[in-house]
Amino acid sequence: MATVKLTTENVASFVDELDTFLFDCDGVIWKDTEIVPGVPEALDSLRKRGKRVLFVSNNSTRTRSEYVAKMAKMGITANPDEVFGTAYATAHYMSKVAKGKVYVMSGLPLQRELEQRGLTCIGPGPDPVDDEGTMALPTHLAQLPLDPEVKTVCVGFDPHLNLIKLTKAINYLRDPECLFVGTNTDRSLPNPYDRLIAGTGCLVEFVANTANREPTYVGKPFTPIFDCIREECAEAGKPIDPSRTLMIGDNPLTDILFGNRHGMKSLLVFTGHGKEEDLAEFQADGDERRPHYTADSAALLAHV
């Protein structure tokens, strides 16, 4: 099916065929600290029509409650059980598979979500090198103490990444029984300054390449975050029907691929990463990154 451009003329009938709307956050609902104009009204319109609205983000630097607080400051009402960030989804996944202690290369939000699931974590926060750099010399790195109870390594966005942390992670992963989990594959971080900023995907690949191990990824476009959404919706008595679900995102490599891989409809908006002129790259038959629909902004959904 060729990609269809949504307009004020066809959007109402389009929405009638759907029950659940999954919104990416950065680049769709907000850009940096600014709300995308018209999106709060779109969310309100969908809810008034009895549609379910959920928020699905690959950002691992916020807990569910922190997402809700950010949205409240922007005038968006959301409940914690409507938010599926990768910190929360990773905790959901790891509560089923993790063994022993978890060495966490990430910020505190991921640790908090993991600990709420009963997992014991070590590693978040600074593990500093001394001013002279002697702690990062090979002789010192080779003697770093390792906790024998660590049986899982989890990597998210870690602003404190350094050689000490990397050395610990890759040595835990020398044990083939040690699990290796990455929150997401995004290689760059969105920002309003037209700069490239290394994202979580770069950090996970850094560890993976050095340890010669393949991680299990949780976030979009992979299945663990979809399973988290599906299972929790079913537990709440409101199962998701993928054929009547829309994934709305700004990134063909994560959001659109996620929706298409899991049997959903997909809508690419042009308020963030994706640009209309880039669509030609994804138009080959069978390309899972090709969106079913496009729109200039998710604000279009207010016209229903």
Side-chain angles (χ1 to χ4, degrees):
M1 182 185 85
T3 299
V4 175
K5 182 72 176 284
L6 293 179
T7 66
T8 53
E9 285 73 31
N10 62 10
V11 68
S13 59
F14 167 73
V15 167
D16 285 340
E17 300 175 359
L18 300 164
D19 300 322
T20 302
F21 293 74
L22 308 184
F23 283 82
D24 179 43
C25 295
D26 205 320
V28 175
I29 295 176
W30 59 70
K31 294 183 70 174
D32 196 32
T33 60
E34 301 295 326
I35 196 79
V36 174
V39 168
E41 292 79 3
L43 299 175
D44 290 342
S45 294
L46 291 172
R47 285 167 168 158
K48 287 176 182 176
R49 294 192 61 172
K51 307 299 182 180
R52 174 169 47 184
V53 171
L54 303 175
F55 306 94
V56 187
S57 173
N58 271 2
N59 188 333
S60 66
T61 65
R62 293 188 182 91
T63 64
R64 270 185 155 180
S65 59
E66 288 168 344
Y67 269 109
V68 170
K70 178 180 174 84
M71 291 182 194
K73 290 179 180 178
M74 293 184 164
I76 295 172
T77 300
N79 297 317
D81 60 4
E82 296 174 324
V83 179
F84 296 88
T86 48
Y88 181 81
T90 299
H92 176 273
Y93 171 74
M94 289 181 57
S95 68
K96 301 177 181 181
V97 302
K99 300 178 292 184
K101 290 182 181 179
V102 182
Y103 183 70
V104 180
M105 285 181 61
S106 187
L108 294 177
L110 179 56
Q111 178 190 11
R112 294 186 188 113
E113 295 285 22
L114 291 170
E115 289 180 342
Q116 285 188 10
R117 295 277 181 162
L119 298 169
T120 301
C121 303
I122 64 171
D127 199 343
V129 178
D130 60 304
D131 291 340
E132 290 76 23
T134 55
M135 293 175 66
L137 293 175
T139 51
H140 178 80
L141 295 173
Q143 299 178 71
L144 288 172
L146 299 176
D147 188 332
E149 296 183 22
V150 169
K151 301 298 179 184
T152 304
V153 171
C154 182
V155 182
F157 184 75
D158 190 350
H160 303 290
L161 178 67
N162 60 20
L163 279 172
I164 291 177
K165 287 191 163 194
L166 176 63
T167 301
K168 289 180 179 179
I170 61 178
N171 278 281
Y172 287 129
L173 290 169
R174 292 181 69 187
D175 177 359
E177 298 300 315
C178 183
L179 300 178
F180 181 19
V181 178
T183 59
N184 60 289
T185 57
D186 299 59
R187 292 186 173 184
S188 61
L189 297 179
N191 68 90
Y193 304 108
D194 194 29
R195 293 290 180 91
L196 281 176
I197 302 174
T200 303
C202 295
L203 309 188
V204 182
E205 288 182 16
F206 190 18
V207 176
N209 291 337
T210 311
N212 196 27
R213 290 282 303 273
E214 288 295 324
T216 296
Y217 286 105
V218 172
K220 300 171 292 184
F222 297 94
T223 296
I225 194 168
F226 178 73
D227 288 342
C228 179
I229 297 166
R230 180 177 56 185
E231 291 170 17
E232 296 212 350
C233 287
E235 289 170 4
K238 299 178 180 180
I240 275 191
D241 177 355
S243 69
R244 294 185 61 84
T245 299
L246 179 69
M247 179 66 222
I248 304 148
D250 68 312
N251 190 336
L253 304 181
T254 53
D255 305 315
I256 304 307
L257 186 55
F258 173 68
N260 293 346
R261 276 185 176 175
H262 296 94
M264 296 178 270
K265 304 291 191 302
S266 57
L267 169 61
L268 179 67
V269 297
F270 303 126
T271 48
H273 180 87
K275 305 300 178 186
E276 192 162 12
E277 55 267 26
D278 298 332
L279 272 179
E281 181 181 347
F282 310 117
Q283 291 305 305
D285 288 343
D287 193 328
E288 291 183 302
R289 301 167 298 173
R290 180 172 65 184
H292 295 111
Y293 303 92
T294 64
D296 292 331
S297 168
L300 179 69
L301 296 170
H303 299 277
V304 297

